[in-house]
Amino acid sequence: MSERIHAGLVRLREMPTRGMITLRGDLDDASLRKAVEAGVPMPERGRLTVAGARMAAWMSPDELLLMAPHGAVTEDIAALKAALAGTHHLVADVSDARCVMELTGANIREVLAKLSPVDFRDFDVGRFRRTRLAQVPCAVGMVAADRAELIAFRSVTDYVWAVLENANDAAAPVGHF
């Protein structure tokens, strides 16, 4: 895949495939917490944590999305399954099911607010939430003060890219944030 980049109010970039693991289970369980924290700190509700090239995002009361370099997924899954043996859990490789778009710049909230029913005023670094982008489900995480990542299903990649490009038009700032 050739890299797609678009400049406007922010810089949009379609990211290379990233390793993603859905982990479901009791997020308060000590063994699950320990298994997650072997790679990245455990995120709180509505948050994401970052440790180098790894991220963990809170998806729901019993679900995390763990992200790592694509080549690390097989080993990570094996380690999680070994650490969680004997506990009720689900570990699934969802890397190929999702795409990631990176937004960088000062106007991230402006672009996202055009497309999502989220109040982005207090969407600070480390925030992560599921929402809708135009007509499709997605998740958005604020990785740094000037960098957000949007995760959507790979089947709607071209649609997501098109609506982001449209909302990113430098001639159409909102000026709210």
Side-chain angles (χ1 to χ4, degrees):
M1 171 184 87
S2 63
E3 183 176 50
R4 279 197 275 198
I5 295 175
H6 180 264
L9 293 170
V10 299
R11 180 179 181 266
L12 300 176
R13 180 168 72 115
E14 183 177 354
M15 304 289 285
T17 301
R18 177 180 295 157
M20 294 188 203
I21 300 167
T22 292
L23 173 60
R24 297 197 78 150
D26 180 356
L27 301 185
D28 293 325
D29 182 78
S31 59
L32 188 138
R33 181 176 284 288
K34 184 178 178 183
V36 169
E37 291 181 341
V40 65
M42 185 76 162
E44 296 175 17
R45 180 184 177 105
R47 308 291 297 177
L48 65 84
T49 57
V50 179
R54 296 180 180 278
M55 282 194 266
W58 186 92
M59 297 293 279
S60 71
D62 70 342
E63 180 181 1
L64 297 177
L65 180 63
L66 305 176
M67 294 167 270
H70 195 260
V73 170
T74 302
E75 289 178 20
D76 287 359
I77 287 175
L80 286 166
K81 286 182 177 183
L84 298 173
T87 66
H88 179 72
H89 70 279
L90 172 113
V91 176
D93 180 354
V94 295
S95 306
D96 294 334
R98 309 239 171 92
C99 68
V100 180
M101 305 291 174
E102 176 186 67
L103 293 82
T104 54
N107 294 308
I108 293 168
R109 290 167 184 83
E110 298 288 330
V111 172
L112 292 173
K114 291 179 181 182
L115 301 168
S116 177
V118 174
D119 181 352
F120 285 102
R121 285 180 292 193
D122 66 346
F123 207 75
D124 61 340
V125 175
R127 284 289 307 257
F128 188 87
R129 68 164 294 156
R130 289 173 147 169
T131 185
R132 296 189 77 72
L133 183 82
Q135 299 177 18
V136 297
C138 70
V140 179
M142 191 62 95
V143 180
D146 65 347
R147 183 171 159 243
E149 290 189 0
L150 186 139
I151 301 168
F153 290 109
R154 189 167 305 281
S155 60
V156 294
T157 301
D158 290 338
Y159 174 78
V160 169
W161 183 260
V163 297
L164 282 170
E165 271 187 324
N166 189 47
N168 194 34
D169 185 345
V174 175
H176 180 70
F177 297 97

